[in-house]
Amino acid sequence: MQALRVEALSDDLSGVRLADLADPVRAPGEVLVRVHAASLNYPDLLMTRGGYQFKPPVPFTAGMELAGEVLAADADSRFSVGDRVMGGAKTGVFAEFAAVPARSLKPIPAALDYSAAAALGAAYTTAYTALVELGGLQAGQWVLVHGASGGVGLAACDLARALGARVIAATHDAGKAERVRAVASPEAVIVNTGRFREQVAELTGGALCDLVYDPVGGDVFDESTRCVAFGGKLLVIGFVAGRIPEIAVNIPLIKGFSIVGVRAGEYARRFPERGARIAAEVSRLANDRAIAPVIDRELPLARWKEGFDAMAAGALVGKLIFRP
């Protein structure tokens, strides 16, 4: 089979190539899946550089999130040959076939095709864990979503709006504002460079935001501390900007807000019943067509570098799907 292999860590993808490998052999407890679609996530890019918190030994097959068809599974598993499944692992799914732990897979909602299913899981699970499980989102609340042109940000916009929140979508790229407005349908779109608190205050009538969803970090985090309402929460998702910010703890004390770290995958591993409930709710919302992932483009796996380069350049609005 063909698979995307990371053979050396580098900042320019020079250690990555499409390789011919033997088909994977399924171990007990694993499901052999024919991969129909695989979603590119920012950690996939970081892992090619050794810049993600999970550092698999080199060489490894890249890719975390897939949708496909079951080819083989244990007799006592939940799956049968031909089942449509979605899910993934920390690595290994940018390939024609993948052997994935059964616990990491779930059925694809009937309303979703393979591409939508591959784009759904990680982004919407992160959004639900952050906004609902940890953030306590309520209808009518104001939610500021940074990184709103990316898959994780757009998922947060979509989910928050579906649950009745009032969403301010924020992007660093003014050229993407109208496209974000078109696909996310928020209350407003702002450009989150410089001092954007005044825009947030004006949009919310001075109330500021009950929840701030931040996968960006850096200067965006710094200014976001001025945008959280008293009693609100600043949800830390990641640091796409590169700089991990710091804060003097008197700021959340005086302003009366909480800073909450969000690791959706680890949350589900530590609290499996809660993780299963979150996944089931995301699937229900998708099957009811209350939420739907935005897909920027689909590419054959042979054009993997085009996809990685687009993500590194911040050129995507939504998710990128590889078709092995």
Side-chain angles (χ1 to χ4, degrees):
M1 69 171 185
Q2 286 199 314
L4 190 64
R5 296 289 282 177
V6 179
E7 298 181 337
L9 303 178
S10 65
D11 291 335
D12 61 359
L13 299 171
S14 59
V16 185
R17 72 179 183 94
L18 199 62
D20 290 317
L21 301 180
D23 292 351
V25 176
R26 181 184 69 86
E30 291 184 333
V31 176
L32 183 62
V33 179
R34 167 69 173 96
V35 181
H36 287 280
S39 173
L40 179 63
N41 290 284
Y42 195 68
D44 296 319
L45 175 63
L46 291 180
M47 276 190 265
T48 69
R49 305 169 177 172
Y52 191 55
Q53 55 257 36
F54 173 64
K55 294 177 170 56
V58 176
F60 64 91
T61 298
M64 302 171 62
E65 190 170 23
L66 62 78
E69 176 186 358
V70 173
L71 298 180
D74 292 339
D76 60 353
S77 75
R78 299 170 294 143
F79 303 109
S80 301
V81 173
D83 284 351
R84 299 193 321 143
V85 294
M86 55 188 280
K90 292 183 176 181
T91 59
V93 310
F94 288 165
E96 293 179 278
F97 305 96
V100 181
R103 66 180 181 277
S104 300
L105 296 172
K106 51 186 173 291
I108 294 176
L112 271 61
D113 62 18
Y114 284 117
S115 293
L120 182 76
Y124 280 85
T125 297
T126 298
Y128 196 99
T129 302
L131 295 173
V132 181
E133 186 77 7
L134 300 177
L137 177 67
Q138 300 293 316
Q141 288 185 323
W142 282 99
V143 179
L144 173 60
V145 177
H146 293 297
S149 62
V152 170
L154 281 172
C157 290
D158 190 27
L159 178 66
R161 188 170 53 82
L163 297 178
R166 306 179 73 182
V167 177
I168 301 171
T171 175
H172 73 284
D173 187 345
K176 292 181 178 179
E178 286 308 310
R179 190 169 175 200
V180 170
R181 192 186 310 277
V183 298
S185 300
E187 296 276 336
V189 179
I190 67 170
V191 177
N192 56 2
T193 55
R195 295 293 188 178
F196 51 82
R197 179 197 181 277
E198 286 69 26
Q199 295 180 72
V200 172
E202 182 177 355
L203 289 166
T204 61
L208 302 178
C209 291
D210 303 283
L211 298 173
V212 176
Y213 185 92
D214 180 21
V216 178
D219 294 344
V220 164
F221 175 92
D222 295 341
E223 182 68 3
S224 290
T225 64
R226 305 176 65 233
C227 299
V228 191
F230 194 92
K233 295 178 180 179
L234 202 171
L235 303 163
V236 179
I237 313 301
F239 311 105
V240 174
R243 179 173 68 84
I244 298 175
E246 299 178 352
I247 186 169
V249 294
N250 66 311
I251 295 175
L253 170 64
I254 293 168
K255 291 179 62 73
F257 69 84
S258 302
I259 299 172
V260 182
V262 180
R263 291 182 63 197
E266 185 64 20
Y267 188 87
R269 282 186 286 273
R270 288 178 180 265
F271 308 110
E273 291 184 1
R274 300 179 199 175
R277 174 171 47 77
I278 291 167
E281 186 61 12
V282 168
S283 290
R284 182 191 69 78
L285 289 166
N287 207 42
D288 290 347
R289 302 184 189 277
I291 57 175
V294 175
I295 295 174
D296 182 284
R297 68 192 75 173
E298 298 186 36
L299 297 173
L301 189 56
R303 291 167 61 186
W304 65 269
K305 191 172 186 302
E306 178 182 338
F308 274 76
D309 285 344
M311 174 163 280
L316 303 175
V317 176
K319 299 284 283 186
L320 187 146
I321 301 296
F322 289 127
R323 305 282 281 187

